[in-house]
Amino acid sequence: MPRPLLFSSSIHEMILSADSRDFQACIGRPPGAGLPAKAVVLITRAGDREADELSLRLAARNVPVVRFDSDRVGRASFQWDVPSGVCTFDGSSFIPSVCWVRSFYRSSIAATGDAAADAYVTDNWAALVAALTEDPRTDTVNADADMSRPGVLAQLAAAVRAGLRVPASIVTTDLADGARSLPGDGDVVVKTLGDHFVEVVPGRLVAVLPRRVARPDLADRPLEPAPVLVQEFIASTRELRIYGVADQLVAFEVAKASPESPWTEPDSVAIREAPVPAHLRRPLRALMSRLRLDVGAFDVLETLDGPVFLEVNPTGDWLTFESRAGVTTVTDAVVDLLAGRYANPRTAS
């Protein structure tokens, strides 16, 4: 089997610890209201810095936070009394009031080496997550989204319906033929259709980064072992990362040398907060509505011919952008969203 193009350059790896730095898990949760108290449940993994920050900020508002970390779930007992809705996890009893699935990676759940047993364990934890978020008594943030949903193709289609331009795209295992199918003769960008990281060993993530490639360089490539997304390269005047949180939009201007620079050369990436262009407000809000997103991180290119939508990440990390720009705008908006939903949850009747 040929090595995939996205694995043929230098590999970027991340090592994530399974040790919790969650403020409320380490220090204690505020009492909340009632016994057992309702809680915001963040379904993620221990290395989620945004979840750590939210736990601290929500504690200041007397909002209890419980973490279901995929790389820690096997360390404590869990029980859910379904009729009453009361859960007991890691020694605490609570009622899930608001749930948000962020970075719950099945691949980070501790494995034993027994393939069948490991698959059974991951399937059952994933089924529990689905059951918690589908419970009509629970208010779920980004109810129709997780790390892989909506997929990039659904995003592109929805963006077009919302009035946004998108790159010419094709899904293929034949990179040369796929590139020939796209308009023009300029470079193309090759992207994964799936997650941006592969985690074979729990806690050790290999980044699957987009690559800009000249079309002639694809002429002799063998067939890819799995389909990828090939898009026309779009020349831009600037790149924007725009966070949508409920009805708020927060934009950052990003200057980088290549698509993979934020991972391979993070110190070379310049970030500053910027006004949200007026012509993007309506279509981005329309796209959030179409995709039923409460929170999303949009990547948009500004070009001489108008904006071009690239993708939206429903769990988009934002602390790096805030720290570089010296603001807390996105964190403030997300804390307001979760605290508001905790106080007045939107649940099925």
Side-chain angles (χ1 to χ4, degrees), residues 22-335:
D22 183 280
F23 176 82
Q24 296 194 31
C26 297
I27 304 300
R29 300 182 182 93
L35 291 173
K38 62 180 184 177
V40 171
V41 181
L42 299 179
I43 301 172
T44 185
R45 65 184 300 159
D48 186 342
R49 294 175 54 231
E50 278 71 17
D52 291 342
E53 182 69 15
L54 293 174
S55 176
L56 174 63
R57 295 280 294 272
L58 288 169
R61 296 201 185 187
N62 291 318
V63 177
V65 170
V66 175
R67 287 278 287 271
F68 274 39
D69 292 331
S70 54
D71 43 2
R72 294 175 55 81
V73 287
R75 301 186 184 185
S77 64
F78 173 84
Q79 182 168 297
W80 181 13
D81 182 73
V82 178
S84 68
V86 176
C87 292
T88 303
F89 181 61
D90 200 15
S92 298
S93 293
F94 59 93
I95 297 175
S97 175
V98 181
C99 286
W100 187 8
V101 181
R102 285 184 45 78
S103 299
F104 191 90
Y105 280 83
R106 294 170 57 145
S107 53
S108 71
I109 296 175
T112 64
D114 182 329
D118 290 340
Y120 164 81
V121 169
T122 57
D123 285 351
N124 275 273
W125 279 113
L128 173 65
V129 168
L132 285 170
T133 57
E134 291 167 357
D135 190 303
R137 297 165 295 187
T138 302
D139 184 356
T140 300
V141 176
N142 286 353
D144 289 345
D146 57 27
M147 293 180 299
S148 59
R149 296 178 305 159
V152 64
L153 299 180
Q155 293 178 21
L156 294 172
V160 171
R161 293 195 297 271
L164 292 165
R165 178 186 160 205
V166 302
S169 308
I170 191 167
V171 176
T172 185
T173 59
D174 188 330
L175 294 176
D177 189 58
R180 284 193 296 269
S181 301
L182 297 177
D185 56 5
D187 293 354
V188 298
V189 177
V190 181
K191 300 178 179 179
T192 175
L193 274 179
D195 288 340
H196 292 297
F197 291 93
V198 174
E199 188 172 11
V200 178
V201 178
R204 184 172 184 172
L205 283 67
V206 176
V208 185
L209 307 177
R211 287 191 60 191
R212 177 181 174 181
V213 187
R215 297 193 199 209
D217 293 342
L218 299 176
D220 298 325
R221 288 283 310 177
L223 292 178
E224 287 287 296
V228 291
L229 179 66
V230 182
Q231 296 181 313
E232 61 174 333
F233 173 77
I234 303 290
S236 62
T237 54
R238 66 172 180 166
E239 179 178 339
L240 295 173
R241 164 63 67 91
I242 302 177
Y243 291 90
V245 183
D247 61 350
Q248 297 187 57
L249 295 173
V250 180
F252 296 90
E253 184 175 319
V254 182
K256 60 187 182 184
S258 65
E260 64 269 19
S261 292
W263 294 276
T264 58
E265 302 172 296
D267 292 339
S268 71
V269 180
I271 298 171
R272 70 176 185 88
E273 192 172 22
V276 179
H279 57 269
L280 282 173
R281 290 181 178 274
R282 178 175 293 180
L284 288 182
R285 286 185 172 129
L287 184 53
M288 288 188 70
S289 178
R290 287 181 179 275
L291 298 175
R292 295 189 62 191
L293 292 177
D294 300 297
V295 181
F298 298 88
D299 290 323
V300 179
L301 300 178
E302 292 263 67
T303 78
L304 297 176
D305 298 319
V308 177
F309 167 87
L310 297 181
E311 65 177 301
V312 57
N313 184 343
T315 61
D317 299 342
W318 62 82
L319 288 181
T320 297
F321 290 85
E322 287 188 335
S323 64
R324 295 288 185 90
V327 299
T328 61
T329 325
V330 182
T331 301
D332 295 341
V334 176
V335 170

Side-chain angles (χ1 to χ4, degrees), residues 1-34:
M1 180 183 296
R3 190 164 179 77
L5 173 70
L6 298 180
F7 282 79
S8 59
S9 60
S10 57
I11 298 297
H12 177 67
E13 291 188 344
M14 293 174 55
I15 304 298
L16 292 183
S17 170
D19 294 332
S20 177
R21 296 185 178 181
D22 183 280
F23 176 82
Q24 296 194 31
C26 297
I27 304 300
R29 300 182 182 93

